[in-house]
Amino acid sequence: MWPRRVLAARRRISASGWAAGAVGGNDVDHDGPGWWRGWWCGGGGGGRGTVHDLIELAQKKGVSNDPLIRQRLAGLYTKSRISKFSSMRTLTAALKGQVPGPEGSIGKLFGGRMMTEMGELAIDLVGVGAVARGDDDYRWHQTLLGAPAAHIAGGSDEVMKNIIGERVLGLPREPGFDPDTPWNEIPRN
């Protein structure tokens, strides 16, 4: 059972919209702005960590000198910087009154994949402590378990790829039935 002060805090967080992962475009974490960055980097209040938290975790676990871990951390850090600058570009366009384009789809796809990578690395660093509640390491399971939602919420990865293909790359629409055809007139097997 949850203590009363925890439930009260959760209600306050839910009322602000953060617990559901709905982070506004002007919210800023220590890496930069962006609704999807805030969502997958922990702005949703669910205990997910940032790349900097993973670096600290690797140092705490004594594996920060392992070349494979360092390579994975460097890759995640680089991707976090790319996402920061992409978010800044989107934010700048919005501040100029421009309608956001397909870069939101690119950002969402990129963010979901990055969240999965962060979760996998966190579990590799923490080990069983991520699934067996024993200490603070337990919170890292949320990053990996929340990753599938990042691939589905707001449009699946497949939908995002279609948007990118059609609107960014100029590829033709996927062949199919005329979108104006009523559902009951579409032939079925």
Side-chain angles (χ1 to χ4, degrees):
M1 185 157 181
W2 292 94
R4 288 177 194 247
R5 65 177 180 264
V6 172
L7 289 174
R10 294 186 100 178
R11 276 194 291 275
R12 281 193 305 273
I13 291 170
S14 296
S16 70
W18 281 61
V23 180
N26 61 350
D27 294 321
V28 179
D29 64 18
H30 71 277
D31 265 338
W35 67 268
W36 56 272
R37 285 198 73 264
W39 187 79
W40 59 260
C41 283
R48 293 178 293 272
T50 65
V51 174
H52 297 286
D53 293 333
L54 278 175
I55 292 169
E56 288 176 19
L57 179 65
Q59 291 169 343
K60 180 179 132 185
K61 296 292 181 180
V63 294
S64 60
N65 289 327
D66 181 316
L68 295 176
I69 298 295
R70 290 177 67 89
Q71 185 175 19
R72 290 171 73 184
L73 287 168
L76 284 168
Y77 179 79
T78 302
K79 289 174 183 177
S80 75
R81 302 305 291 177
I82 291 168
S83 69
K84 173 186 177 180
F85 294 122
S86 178
S87 294
M88 291 172 69
R89 180 179 175 192
T90 303
L91 182 62
T92 301
L95 291 172
K96 290 181 179 178
Q98 299 170 348
V99 177
E103 59 269 2
S105 297
I106 295 169
K108 186 207 171 295
L109 185 62
F110 191 72
R113 289 181 177 189
M114 193 169 156
M115 185 174 177
T116 299
E117 287 181 42
M118 287 178 63
E120 289 171 349
L121 179 56
I123 299 299
D124 289 346
L125 292 174
V126 172
V128 281
V131 291
R133 178 172 246 142
D135 55 18
D136 188 46
D137 289 344
Y138 180 69
R139 74 183 182 98
W140 286 102
H141 77 285
Q142 294 179 359
T143 305
L144 184 64
L145 295 178
H151 293 280
I152 299 169
S156 69
D157 285 359
E158 289 73 21
V159 170
M160 295 300 121
K161 289 176 188 177
N162 281 343
I163 292 171
I164 293 165
E166 293 170 14
R167 298 184 188 169
V168 177
L169 302 175
L171 298 174
R173 284 184 60 123
E174 190 171 318
F177 293 99
D178 178 21
D180 296 327
T181 303
W183 175 253
N184 62 354
E185 294 179 15
I186 294 176
R188 293 173 193 48
N189 292 341

